[in-house]
Amino acid sequence: MTIKDRVLLIEDERSIGNLIATLLEANGYDVITARTGQEALSLATSHCPDVILLDLGLPDMDGMEILRAVREWSVIPILVVSARTEEKDKVAALDAGADDYIVKPFGTAELLARIRAAIRHTRTASGNAQLAHSGIFTVGGLSIDYNSRRVYVDGVDANLTQNEFRLVALLGRYAGRVITYDAIIRQLWGPNVKNDNQILRVNMANIRRKIEKNPADPQYIFTEARVGYRMADAVPGYETDDNSD
Ligand code: CA
């Protein structure tokens, strides 16, 4: 099973939308498309994409409204793709939390490069130096490969599902820090999910079965009772190689 990065493409012009969707699918992305602002907001919260491509001129609302709404609950990378070329439009979008601004018409290679850069930047924004350098986070025998979206335990693929991977990937980005249940649910399932930790507990139980030697006594992902989860940033008994470069 291949886990693909999911792109939410918000574009009301069919010809441009189809062109971009075809390009992205050919380059290994899973694409969902919205043609109106309402549809975009609904898909952003229900599908929790890995990156959003946002056209500003939409039939029912301005893309800036979508940008602000999504930024209230998520750090998903958002690339504005717009025909508006004025500096003030770019500045407003970037100030409102856009990660990048691409002017139409654009080159396909450039678009792909900037999508990769935005995803990479989000992954490294945690200040996790090891991850920033290699795209791989390793602690003890556990290794999270953010490029191939796979998790290995002592070199063996743990076969995580998409949701399980997203949860482990999120904790890995902030290894050593407690991430609250609320923050995890918001990032993974969007702001409209009932704040029910059950969905999280079920996923975590499955993850622990797959990655921990003894799920009842975990060495990689710890529960901070009534607060959240924390990924280990070191595991006793394993060599650390903090000085490697
Ligand atoms: Ca448009």
Side-chain angles (χ1 to χ4, degrees):
M1 182 184 63
T2 309
I3 300 177
K4 297 176 170 181
D5 278 320
R6 183 182 296 153
V7 181
L8 171 57
L9 171 62
I10 305 170
E11 172 61 69
D12 61 318
E13 266 178 70
R14 259 167 215 284
S15 56
I16 299 177
N18 290 343
L19 187 82
I20 297 177
T22 304
L23 172 73
L24 294 180
E25 278 161 1
N27 282 275
Y29 292 93
D30 177 21
V31 181
I32 45 177
T33 304
R35 305 207 185 277
T36 66
Q38 280 306 333
E39 201 184 348
L41 287 174
S42 154
L43 289 174
T45 54
S46 60
H47 285 70
C48 288
D50 297 291
V51 61
I52 293 177
L53 297 188
L54 174 63
D55 177 28
L56 293 181
L58 297 170
D60 57 338
M61 68 176 77
D62 194 279
M64 288 295 290
E65 280 181 58
I66 295 171
L67 181 52
R68 292 193 192 95
V70 172
R71 271 294 167 267
E72 281 182 12
W73 58 270
S74 178
V75 295
I76 301 171
I78 300 177
L79 282 73
V80 170
V81 182
S82 176
R84 298 178 194 169
T85 56
E86 284 189 44
E87 191 177 356
K88 68 173 170 52
D89 292 317
K90 292 185 195 173
V91 170
L94 294 169
D95 277 350
D99 294 82
D100 202 349
Y101 194 106
I102 301 162
V103 174
K104 293 173 182 168
F106 48 81
T108 55
E110 183 190 6
L111 180 69
L112 290 169
R114 287 164 84 165
I115 290 171
R116 285 194 301 270
I119 293 174
R120 197 167 55 233
H121 184 252
T122 304
R123 280 173 189 156
T124 58
S126 63
N128 184 325
Q130 184 202 139
L131 182 52
H133 186 73
S134 63
I136 297 172
F137 173 72
T138 302
V139 60
L142 180 80
S143 169
I144 308 171
D145 186 329
Y146 286 78
N147 298 312
S148 69
R149 297 175 67 97
R150 287 180 181 277
V151 170
Y152 299 90
V153 180
D154 299 324
V156 179
D157 192 331
N159 276 315
L160 299 189
T161 64
Q162 173 116 344
N163 275 336
E164 290 163 5
F165 176 83
R166 289 157 75 97
L167 177 48
V168 170
L170 177 65
L171 294 172
R173 276 207 291 279
Y174 300 97
R177 286 161 55 185
V178 178
I179 310 298
T180 65
Y181 298 128
D182 287 357
I184 295 170
I185 290 170
R186 233 178 17 249
Q187 284 299 317
L188 267 57
W189 289 283
N192 298 335
V193 166
K194 190 158 63 74
N195 220 335
D196 174 3
N197 296 345
Q198 186 60 24
I199 185 173
L200 209 47
R201 276 198 222 99
V202 169
N203 273 281
M204 187 54 75
N206 290 333
I207 290 167
R208 283 183 168 143
R209 254 201 314 277
K210 293 178 180 180
I211 69 168
E212 303 280 3
K213 283 195 183 73
N214 177 2
D217 180 23
Q219 57 176 343
Y220 296 122
I221 300 176
F222 303 103
T223 301
E224 302 287 336
R226 289 181 299 282
V227 178
Y229 295 110
R230 176 172 56 87
M231 172 77 71
D233 53 2
V235 173
Y238 277 91
E239 293 286 321
T240 55
D241 56 351
D242 284 347
N243 297 320
S244 70
D245 196 20

